[in-house]
Amino acid sequence: PVWGYAEVVESTHDELDPGRRVFGFLPMSSELVVEVGRVDDGGFTDVAEHRRAMAGAYNRYAFADPDIAPGSADEERRMLLYPLFFTAFLVDDFIGDNGCFDATTLVISSASSKTGLGIARQAAVREDLTVIGLTSPANVAFTEGLGAYDIVLPYGRETDLPVEPTIYVDVSGAAPVRNAVHHHLGDALRHDMVLGATHWAEMGGADADLPGPAPAFFFAPSQIAKRVAEWGQERLDGALAEAW
């Protein structure tokens, strides 16, 4: 499956007209039949039986902005960045929802990735957080040039991280980096969020006795479900649209 655009070509639902363009999770095929559930100003949900076990984020189709031309640069940007930006938005929201874990520093591995950059952009609004990116030595200059981080460090220099209350968002999945962060920060590490695996070949070899908090997997659809329950879908869509 892919994230992409589709156009309604036939509909038996009173609130969904042919010609409507949507963005969402799609099979790589020419057609998709959906069972339309709740429709609101922002989009609709597919409630087909075979999809009900999936997280709600994968069953929702957002209405495309009518003033954005199909295939335009705006749509290309959404195709390239939006799904990972949505994840970044939810990571930052989760951090804020937990009082930033009383941390003053946020460290993000795979800092040059789209997800890492999205998190950094969102977290930069939080005045009390210093945002530090960890990246490959070859990517340091590029990452610094984007201006998304307060500090950029290459892998191998984790001991240069300030020993202050810290959140670690692990987009890389690299065990050597996680080991180094934990052993350097110890109890100053307040939360270790397991998010990605851009360095999938280095995922093995994590120390069994890491100091500090145990790594905790972040599942974005859980934060979506929490916010929909607390805010409602419309408010969540609005907050995401404003951030985007």
Side-chain angles (χ1 to χ4, degrees), residues 141-159:
F142 165 77
T143 307
E144 286 179 332
L146 296 173
Y149 297 91
D150 296 306
I151 301 169
V152 178
L153 293 173
Y155 297 130
R157 285 181 51 190
E158 290 82 5
T159 53

Side-chain angles (χ1 to χ4, degrees), residues 19-39:
R20 199 72 192 260
R21 193 163 172 81
V22 300
F23 178 85
F25 207 47
L26 301 162
M28 290 193 287
S29 63
S30 59
E31 295 184 348
L32 170 66
V33 178
V34 300
E35 184 177 338
V36 179
R38 180 177 56 83
V39 179

Side-chain angles (χ1 to χ4, degrees), residues 66-123:
D67 59 351
I68 293 179
S72 66
D74 286 313
E75 283 203 348
E76 289 182 351
R77 279 190 285 269
R78 182 172 288 266
M79 290 280 286
L80 179 66
L81 298 173
Y82 186 83
L84 296 177
F85 179 78
F86 196 177
T87 299
F89 171 88
L90 294 166
V91 167
D92 176 72
D93 181 62
F94 175 83
I95 289 171
D97 200 22
N98 285 275
C100 294
F101 297 93
D102 295 324
T104 57
T105 302
L106 171 64
V107 176
I108 303 170
S109 65
S110 198
S112 66
S113 68
K114 292 189 285 289
T115 306
L117 288 165
I119 297 167
R121 285 291 190 187
Q122 288 299 104

Side-chain angles (χ1 to χ4, degrees), residues 118-143:
I119 297 167
R121 285 291 190 187
Q122 288 299 104
V125 179
R126 302 186 182 277
E127 297 178 355
D128 297 331
L129 272 183
T130 298
V131 184
I132 301 176
L134 295 174
T135 189
S136 300
N139 289 336
V140 168
F142 165 77
T143 307

